[in-house]
Amino acid sequence: MTATQEQRAKRTQTMTSKRPKTVSGLTLAAVPTAVSCARLLARWTFKQWGLSRMVDDAELVVSELATNAVKATGVMDPKPRWTGLRDLALIRVGFLLFEDSVIVEVWDRDKTPPIVNDVTLDLENGRGLFIVTELCARWNYYLPTTGGKVVWGRLDIPPFDYTEHGLPKRPRGPWSPPSATAGVTSDPDVLRRVADGLRDL
C-alpha cells in the first residue's frame, strides 16, 4: 500500500470511527443483474430506516458504485456462457447508518483505484463517479486488509423542519375552499329530537 493509499484509509477510518447505529448489506455475483439488486436493497433499507426522502439519491449512488465494481471484476455479458462463469467474482454492497449520515459502500476484488473521468455531453460511459461526487458529501476508497477495495460515499441525512411541539412539519399545499357547503336542515321534528337528546345528557 502506498503512502497516499494509507492516508486515504486513515481518513476513512477516522470518519467512520463511530460505530454505526445499524447496517444492511448483501453479497452479489458480479454480473449486470447485481446492479438492480443493489438498487432494490437501497430502496428497502432506506424505507425501513425511515429515510424514504433519500431513496432516489441512495439508488443512484449504489447503482453507479455497483456498476463500476461489476465492470472491474465481473461478467458484463447479460447472457454469459457457463464457461465464462468459472471464476465468477463477488461484490458486496453495504449501507451504514450513522446519526446524521449514511455511508454507501461497495467492495470488489480489484485493487485498481477508481478514476473520475472528465464528463462531456456526448460521453456515454464514465459518468458514475461524477454522479457520486455530485450527490455525496464525500466519497473515497480504501484497501481493506482482506483484499480488494471498498469505494464509499457519504449521504448526509437532511434535517426535518420541526414544529414547536417537536413533530416534523408537513408541507402544506395551497388552500382552496370546500367544493360544496354542508346542507342546513330546518325540520322541526329533527330539531326537537336533537334538543331532547341534549337535555338528556
Side-chain angles (χ1 to χ4, degrees):
M1 184 184 292
T2 66
T4 304
Q5 291 168 340
E6 285 179 4
Q7 290 171 352
R8 283 182 177 141
K10 284 179 183 175
R11 280 199 299 268
T12 303
Q13 288 167 0
T14 300
M15 196 198 79
T16 59
S17 57
K18 296 179 181 176
R19 293 179 63 86
K21 294 165 67 175
T22 187
V23 298
S24 176
L26 189 62
T27 300
L28 300 162
V31 294
T33 53
V35 178
S36 58
C37 291
R39 290 175 70 96
L40 285 171
L41 177 65
R43 179 165 289 276
W44 182 86
T45 297
F46 277 69
K47 285 188 174 181
Q48 288 294 309
W49 289 348
L51 299 173
S52 296
R53 61 198 189 281
M54 297 176 64
V55 164
D56 291 341
D57 286 356
E59 280 190 312
L60 274 172
V61 170
V62 79
S63 176
E64 299 302 339
L65 296 183
T67 298
N68 288 349
V70 172
K71 284 181 179 177
T73 63
V75 177
M76 292 305 296
D77 185 351
K79 294 182 180 179
R81 296 179 179 274
W82 282 108
T83 54
L85 301 176
R86 279 195 189 125
D87 185 31
L88 185 60
L90 298 175
I91 66 171
R92 281 197 296 273
V93 177
F95 304 98
L96 294 80
L97 175 64
F98 293 88
E99 195 66 39
D100 58 357
S101 63
V102 178
I103 301 293
V104 180
E105 62 178 24
V106 176
W107 172 90
D108 66 68
R109 67 184 184 184
D110 182 27
K111 293 183 179 180
T112 307
I115 298 172
V116 182
N117 291 330
D118 291 330
V119 177
T120 59
L121 292 176
D122 59 347
L123 187 64
E124 299 257 339
N125 297 311
R127 295 186 180 184
L129 289 177
F130 177 78
I131 292 172
V132 172
T133 302
E134 290 298 305
L135 294 177
C136 292
R138 283 186 64 192
W139 77 269
N140 211 323
Y141 80 99
Y142 64 94
L143 304 179
T145 55
T146 52
K149 72 174 178 295
V150 174
V151 184
W152 58 267
R154 189 186 81 206
L155 290 170
D156 288 340
I157 299 174
F160 272 120
D161 188 12
Y162 288 95
T163 67
E164 59 181 319
H165 306 292
L167 298 172
K169 283 185 179 176
R170 287 188 174 178
R172 294 185 178 222
W175 182 85
S176 58
S179 57
T181 57
V184 179
T185 182
S186 59
D187 185 339
D189 291 333
V190 172
L191 293 174
R192 191 175 302 108
R193 285 199 301 271
V194 169
D196 292 343
L198 289 172
R199 272 194 291 271
D200 292 340
L201 290 177

